[in-house]
Amino acid sequence: MKNIMEVQKEFVSRKIEREVNHRFEILNEIKMIVRDIVEKEIQRRAVDGLGRVNYALSSDGAMIVKHSEPFIIRRVIRWFRKITLTTVYRDSKKILKPSFGEPGQCFPLKGDNGFVKIRLSRTIITEAITLEHVDKAVAYDRSSAPKNYRVYGWHQGYDTDIVIETGKMFLLAEFSYNLEKSNAQTFNVLDFVGSGLVNTVRFDFTSNHGNTDYTCIYRLRVHGHEPTSILMTQS
């Protein structure tokens, strides 16, 4: 039979356990509230800190359809390992999310050139393209930044994945990324593009700033506006 001391000890122990559990529940609720606030703030800034809607945002439905051969970043021992893939690498979606300018948080493509194909979140009339790299204030070596690149666009049916798209593809823009300018550089599409409908784009990176091993892609954005229902019907 338990004595008074044991009963009191057990009572106090259970009370402490209940209080600890209650505090953990409160902390979890606070974490969920904070996470929700942060996610909403990210969404707000993703529109874009540039004052333009971004249709290449993964949280809004955009996705990577295909890309050239990547490198894998091994964060622990900080070196790059080559891999060959025929499917989309899971880390490629980084380029459709806010990067927060943290060095190394990129999707690296093998060599000094490569490509990325993106299905946009909506069918749009494109207006501009934004390429973002890490800022020179936080990175001592930016030779892996893309230099010259072209962007193509076209409208592809959602039930097809045929690469005989070159006839429908048209050049949206051709740019050079300047390391001496802002880390997020926006370029308007070519004037003759007009009102062509686009739901798929391909970024062709033809060179970088000197790194022969890999090209780092931090973030890609596609800006424009959604067409009217009349224009959609005519197309």
Side-chain angles (χ1 to χ4, degrees), residues 56-103:
L57 188 64
S58 62
S59 60
D60 196 32
M63 66 180 69
I64 304 296
V65 178
K66 196 173 183 180
H67 54 69
S68 55
E69 184 179 347
F71 272 48
I72 289 181
I73 302 177
R74 301 297 294 273
R75 293 184 182 83
V76 177
I77 54 179
R78 300 178 186 278
W79 55 280
F80 289 85
R81 178 169 63 89
K82 294 186 219 180
I83 60 170
T84 303
L85 294 175
T86 56
T87 56
V88 175
Y89 179 54
R90 64 184 180 277
D91 238 19
S92 63
K93 63 184 180 182
K94 280 183 177 181
I95 64 180
L96 304 183
K97 297 180 177 181
S99 66
F100 300 108
E102 184 179 351

Side-chain angles (χ1 to χ4, degrees), residues 141-163:
D141 181 9
R142 296 195 298 159
S143 62
S144 64
K147 185 176 182 181
N148 299 312
Y149 67 104
R150 301 185 188 95
V151 185
Y152 297 90
W154 67 97
H155 190 276
Q156 180 177 324
Y158 282 90
D159 57 347
T160 62
D161 191 28
I162 304 172
V163 188

Side-chain angles (χ1 to χ4, degrees), residues 168-185:
K168 294 182 282 184
M169 289 173 60
F170 52 92
L171 183 65
L172 292 174
E174 187 170 5
F175 314 115
S176 289
Y177 183 87
N178 190 334
L179 290 179
E180 298 306 314
K181 294 184 178 180
S182 169
N183 64 307
Q185 296 177 24

Side-chain angles (χ1 to χ4, degrees), residues 202-229:
R202 173 176 164 131
F203 286 77
D204 278 344
F205 304 101
T206 57
S207 66
N208 65 21
H209 284 269
N211 192 317
T212 57
D213 294 324
Y214 55 87
T215 300
C216 273
I217 314 300
Y218 275 83
R219 192 179 180 196
L220 304 175
R221 308 181 221 185
V222 180
H223 313 289
H225 63 274
E226 294 179 51
T228 63
S229 56

Side-chain angles (χ1 to χ4, degrees), residues 53 55 123-127 194-195 197 223-228 231:
V53 178
Y55 290 95
T123 295
I124 65 168
I125 296 171
T126 51
E127 296 174 351
S195 58
L197 299 182
H223 313 289
H225 63 274
E226 294 179 51
T228 63
L231 183 56

